[in-house]
Each structure stands twice: as C-alpha cells, then as structure tokens.
Amino acid sequence: MLHLRLLKAIVERKNRMRRGGDEGQTVFEYLGIIVIIALIIAAIIATGLAGDIAGEIQTVLDNITS
C-alpha cells in the first residue's frame, strides 16, 4: 500500500512539473508576438507611413460622422 501512495505522489509531481513547463513556453510565445508587433509599428513609423495611415483613418471617420 505504501508503494502505491509513493507512486501516486511521484506521478502527481511529474504532472505538476509538466504543466508548469507549458506555462513558461506560453510566456515566451506572447513575448515573441509582442516583439513582432513592435517591429511592425517601428517599421511603419520609420517609413513615414504613420501620417498617411492616420490621415486615411481621419477621412473614414469624417465620412462616417457626416
């Protein structure tokens, strides 16, 4: 009976460790997405497209409200 309890404790601990590893991976995946979005925004600003995009958005909003 002691062997079964010990085996159960070992399996539960391994399962907890396995789940914890997945959470760390998810953090890095989100970080990667954030870095990609930041690079896209930086490229838009560096190329001067930010003003054009803002102008087009303002035109669309003016058309909706008028």
Side-chain angles (χ1 to χ4, degrees):
M1 192 62 140
L2 178 63
H3 297 294
L4 292 176
R5 284 190 289 182
L6 182 60
L7 180 61
K8 182 179 178 184
I10 291 170
V11 170
E12 287 175 353
R13 182 178 171 139
K14 285 190 177 220
N15 285 337
R16 279 195 305 261
M17 289 174 60
R18 191 172 301 142
R19 283 193 300 261
D22 291 344
E23 291 173 5
Q25 181 179 0
T26 303
V27 170
F28 284 112
E29 289 170 354
Y30 284 132
L31 181 63
I33 291 169
I34 291 170
V35 168
I36 289 171
I37 292 171
L39 289 173
I40 291 170
I41 291 171
I44 289 172
I45 292 171
T47 58
L49 290 175
D52 295 339
I53 293 171
E56 290 297 321
I57 291 173
Q58 187 63 46
T59 302
V60 170
L61 290 175
D62 289 342
N63 290 338
I64 291 172
T65 57
S66 61

